[in-house]
Amino acid sequence: SELIKEFKEDGLPERHTRQAIKRARDTFGETDTDYGFLFCTLPIELCEPPEVHDLLYVNPFAMVSVAARESIDFASFFKKTISDNPATPQKPWNIVIYNDEVTPGDALKRNNRKKIQVVYWTFLEFGAAAISNEYMWFTLLAVRSSIVSRYPGGMSGVMARAVEVFFQREQNIQDIGMNS
């Protein structure tokens, strides 16, 4: 009802069709930063039947860069946190990762094929108050639960691959660091 009220008052958003939203998402995903493109792919080998599936993920280094560039509030918070608690090779920041299954649509549907496993991450150094706020968590990847069930190890296997994203050879956080 709140959305309908907003549409009556303000009209539809400029991009409101599925195709327009997809184009905007794809264009945004092609954003190039000092840390590479925002959207990347990670090949995973599925079983039953065997196939390679490209898992789309959000480059964590590029995401922090874009967030700091696009949000004055986040940039200010990030700079203050770095100033108060600088990361060094001897005392690096800690990455916190968790996943949750999301069910768009009817959650009680018997065979809901829309269920998605979403992996989120943040920095422990943001502090308890900040990481209690959902806006301080970055989405790393989202994959249909039906794909996860075909991956060796299921969600544990996907999480292992997700952690690898932070330590890939071309973008190892230990080697490149992050600029404030």
Side-chain angles (χ1 to χ4, degrees), residues 33-176:
T33 71
D34 293 342
Y35 305 100
F37 290 102
L38 190 57
F39 288 173
C40 302
T41 57
L42 181 67
I44 60 172
E45 293 182 26
L46 304 176
C47 50
E48 299 178 28
E51 71 174 286
V52 175
H53 177 80
D54 282 334
L55 199 62
L56 184 67
Y57 71 93
V58 181
N59 176 336
F61 314 111
M63 185 66 238
V64 171
S65 175
V66 169
R69 184 180 69 219
E70 298 290 325
S71 170
I72 294 169
D73 291 337
F74 178 76
S76 173
F77 171 81
F78 195 55
K79 285 182 179 183
K80 181 173 180 353
T81 304
I82 289 171
S83 175
D84 292 348
N85 189 9
T88 65
Q90 296 76 29
K91 189 180 172 203
W93 277 16
N94 298 280
I95 298 168
V96 182
I97 299 176
Y98 91 95
N99 85 285
D100 194 10
E101 187 170 57
V102 177
T103 307
D106 183 1
L108 300 177
K109 189 175 178 180
R110 182 168 166 78
N111 289 323
N112 194 329
R113 294 187 179 106
K114 294 181 179 179
K115 289 183 180 180
I116 302 168
Q117 292 285 346
V118 184
V119 178
Y120 305 93
W121 72 277
T122 193
F123 292 109
L124 184 63
E125 285 70 17
F126 283 177
I131 62 178
S132 296
N133 181 337
E134 68 183 81
Y135 295 114
M136 297 305 288
W137 287 84
F138 300 100
T139 301
L140 183 63
L141 61 89
V143 59
R144 286 195 187 262
S145 296
S146 59
I147 299 290
V148 171
S149 68
R150 294 177 50 209
Y151 188 73
M155 195 58 210
S156 295
V158 171
M159 287 296 281
R161 292 301 307 272
V163 170
E164 290 175 14
V165 165
F166 291 92
F167 302 98
Q168 292 177 4
R169 183 175 204 99
E170 66 274 4
Q171 292 185 339
N172 189 328
I173 196 167
Q174 293 173 329
D175 295 336
I176 66 171

